[in-house]
Amino acid sequence: MKKSILFVFFISFLISCEQKNEQPPNIVFIMSDDHAFQAVSAYGHGLNNTPNIDRIANEGALFNKGFVTNSICAPSRAVMLTGKHSFVNGKVDNIQDFNWDQPNFAKSLKSAGYQTAMVGKIHLRGLPQGFDYSAVLPGQGHYYNPDFIVNGVKERIQGYVTTITTQLSLDWLKNKRDKNKPFLLLYHQKAPHRNWQSEEKYLTLFDDKTFELPANFFDNYEGRPAAAAQEMLIAATEEQIAAAHGNGGHGRWGHDFKFIVDPYGRETRFKKELERFTPEQREAWLKAYTPKNDAMKAANLEGKELALWKFNRYLKDYLRTIQSVDDGVGEVLDYLDENGLSENTIVVYTSDQGFYLGEHGWFDKRFMYEESLRTPLLMRYPKEIKAGTQIDQLIQNLDFAPTFLDYAGVPIPEDLQGESFRKVVSQETSEWRDAIYYTYYEYPSVHMVKRHNGVRTDRYKLMHFYYDIDVWEMYDLEKDPSEMNNIYNDPAYADVQSTMHKRYDEMREKYGDTDALDQQFIESYLNR
Ligand SMILES: [Ca+2]
């Protein structure tokens, strides 16, 4: 009798050890909004310091070729959730509704026994499905004293949005989940989305610094008519700002540049933005910005000097908001460390797309040109990823859903269009796709970036702009990484061009994209 009791104890001890070993990994999926890879210090561009984000790569992997399928906020999030291209999941632009009833990887993990939470920006209307807990910003959300929709109920929370998003995430991790189950946390920051309002403590960070303009800031867009037609110039003229005003395109004094009265004496709408602030927040803001704005007005800047000023105002505000994002990442990593969770938790840091930090003279995204196509991507999972790993394969946001399901041991539905990169990042295999496919639809609209699609291989990129234009562009990224020289129809590249056209056709076939779908999305957009 005694023996058999001992035996039962021994067996249950073995089982509990096994369960502990086989506990599926937790997943903390951190996504910020519009965070350029150029503004993550791990990538070595020297603009800013993001020690906490960098820590993920130092202790795990840094991806040098992470890309999106459609470089704009809401569609990117739909791709991330569904693992399907925009023209398959239906969310092709920021305007169409997203169908939450379709499968997503959070629903699959929840059914498999995970505790799931979505905190911060999702930018998809409707109650998020697949989550035990959700606290999301309505639409773009506000930087100061934002409204959150907590499990479907709207409430205003006083404070700074990035800090609140971190606090809500930590509160869920500490107090709101069942700690006997593995967890999935989507921790998604609004920052550094425009109009780049920083936390009080960072209002004067970088004041003593002048950032140099990128080499192609004054791009003339020769050979690139779609690039010439955009409305996303940092140094737009007063005429261009006025012309784009209704669309919210080029930089506005009272929004992007934060003037209550612009340099020409006109009152702006920024005063209205300050109405959301508490008296203390407003005082801190005015104390920091009034002297800077007055000095700019007194200097009567013109031409290149004015461009340099606008670029610096933009870049500094943008980078300031990233400091708070980095602080939050540090707090979450600390929580994992302090609770013995780091070893069995996958941590991913990425953005919903890249962003132009003055390259081609721009802010914003949308184009398939490198700086918005590419995102920061860093990942830590000590069990399988060696510290200091560098990954050069072509990864897309399409791949997150199947990758997370793979780690969790949950079957990957056959209709997902991404691939699990688990064995790539653990360096068990180097076999991977050699091309990616891209689509963009939101036109005519804010920033006036024309509809286009294209294919990128390791070295070349072929793009087609269509609808009210029919223009092909091709780039040799090895010789021309800034994409200034459109080599389409260059006889020296005739063979490459023919191969790239073949790859483009193959990609459309593989993913199920067609001219008929392009036309269908034009019609549904125009008739909305
Ligand atoms: Ca975005």
Side-chain angles (χ1 to χ4, degrees), residues 427-441:
Q427 298 183 308
E428 273 176 73
T429 180
S430 57
E431 257 180 62
W432 190 245
R433 66 167 72 91
D434 61 357
I436 55 165
Y437 182 61
Y438 181 85
T439 61
Y440 176 79
Y441 300 89

Side-chain angles (χ1 to χ4, degrees), residues 31-35 71-74 76-77 94 121 123 140 189-190 192-194 351-355 364-365:
M31 186 187 267
S32 49
D33 194 336
D34 294 358
H35 192 170
S71 181
I72 184 166
C73 305
S76 171
R77 291 153 198 279
N94 270 345
K121 182 157 176 190
H123 203 190
Q140 297 286 7
Q189 292 290 8
K190 165 188 170 64
H193 193 277
R194 75 177 349 118
S351 172
D352 61 345
Q353 3 71 210
F355 216 66
D364 220 71
K365 55 256 184 178

